[in-house]
Amino acid sequence: MTKLTLISHALCPYVQRAVIALKEKGVDFERIDIDLSQKPDWFLEISPLGKVPVLKVEDDVIFESTVIAEFLEDTVAPPLHPSDAVRRADHRAWIEFASVVLSDIWGFYTATNAETFEQKRRDLIQRFERLEARVKAEPWFDGGTFHLVDAAFGPVFRYFDVFDTIEDFGILAGKPKLARWRKALKARASVASAVAQDYPARLHDFILERHSHMSGLLLEAA
Ligand SMILES: N[C@@H](CCC(=O)N[C@@H](CS)C(=O)NCC(=O)O)C(=O)O
């Protein structure tokens, strides 16, 4: 058996993608969470960009969540990409879209003033309108089969479980397919177990530490 070790962080959405893919493929792996504010020397030595996730395959190192997922796709059944080349390319493109949404979400909760916060909120509304037009949500992105693209969006919707406890920001409102898909993702074992039980409390603390506009809203809601 090849020994797989995933170098991770408790909150990282990109780590979650890799964890979901590993779990969907039923692969045994060891997870090591590190403190990204104090990166260990051994981690900096093996991670060219200083980022998680990193997958160690025995003594080899694979970095970048998308590349890790593609490596698993190349090496372990069942396939989580469509067999048709055009559909597969489409799924890969929407995984890129998920990365842009994650970056928008970061901009949203770290915005330091109300104007930027509102602009980021509007950007997110537009992104999710685009997504609503594409997904099938029956119950997954492209119908009845769970794919890697679903793994990429699980961590996206998880943010909103925490944001919703602060305020309804109206970002996902009026998007019935996204609501259906979000519910299915939340209930999927691989997605649910990609983070620890204390994830919501940790994300609350992480947002508070940003001293952002959302930190203020969180304090008001508490
Ligand atoms: N493009 C990378 C993004 C990974 C990423 O941004 N990881 C963050 C945590 S969520 C990180 O390690 N940040 C540490 C840093 O940038 O110093 C991927 O898909 O794996």
Side-chain angles (χ1 to χ4, degrees):
M1 284 277 284
T2 311
K3 182 171 162 38
L4 298 181
T5 311
L6 189 70
I7 319 302
S8 309
H9 178 268
L11 292 176
C12 177
Y14 302 96
V15 164
Q16 291 173 50
R17 291 177 175 187
V19 172
I20 296 166
L22 284 157
K23 289 181 179 241
E24 287 291 335
K25 286 177 180 279
V27 176
D28 279 337
F29 66 100
E30 183 190 0
R31 174 174 177 156
I32 298 178
D33 281 342
I34 60 162
D35 180 355
L36 285 172
S37 64
Q38 282 181 305
K39 296 175 188 168
D41 288 342
W42 62 262
F43 169 70
L44 290 170
E45 269 166 36
I46 63 167
S47 175
L49 293 172
K51 291 177 194 261
V52 291
V54 165
L55 183 69
K56 279 188 74 187
V57 183
E58 301 288 356
D59 292 331
D60 287 309
V61 166
I62 301 176
F63 63 106
E64 285 295 314
S65 61
T66 320
V67 180
I68 292 169
E70 294 287 345
F71 164 74
L72 294 170
E73 189 65 3
D74 283 348
T75 52
V76 193
L80 293 174
H81 265 324
S83 55
D84 176 77
V86 173
R87 278 185 65 215
R88 196 161 59 246
D90 182 53
H91 281 212
R92 286 182 172 136
W94 283 100
I95 290 170
E96 286 302 309
F97 188 92
S99 299
V100 174
V101 173
L102 285 175
S103 154
D104 291 338
I105 288 173
W106 167 261
F108 179 56
Y109 74 79
T110 59
T112 50
N113 58 63
E115 293 74 37
T116 314
F117 182 80
E118 178 55 17
Q119 186 53 54
K120 299 287 176 191
R121 190 183 77 86
R122 286 173 191 276
D123 290 348
L124 278 166
I125 289 173
Q126 283 187 0
R127 300 275 191 228
F128 284 112
E129 278 170 1
R130 230 24 224 250
L131 188 60
E132 172 77 5
R134 168 60 183 87
V135 295
K136 289 190 178 148
E138 293 165 352
W140 309 118
F141 177 84
D142 222 359
T145 305
F146 186 96
H147 288 110
L148 280 176
V149 67
D150 294 287
F153 280 97
V156 167
F157 289 111
R158 198 192 309 278
Y159 278 104
F160 288 86
D161 294 342
V162 170
F163 294 166
D164 285 352
T165 66
I166 303 171
E167 201 175 301
D168 179 0
F169 296 111
I171 293 169
L172 296 174
K175 300 177 182 75
K177 287 192 284 173
L178 294 192
R180 214 161 61 220
W181 186 29
R182 177 184 178 184
K183 197 171 161 202
L185 283 167
K186 193 173 178 174
R188 184 86 173 182
S190 62
V191 177
S193 63
V195 293
Q197 297 274 333
D198 65 353
Y199 171 90
R202 276 179 180 262
L203 183 56
H204 264 105
D205 290 350
F206 189 74
I207 294 171
L208 276 180
E209 285 160 16
R210 306 277 75 74
H211 302 292
S212 63
H213 185 71
M214 193 185 278
S215 315
L217 298 177
L218 205 163
L219 284 172
E220 281 169 28

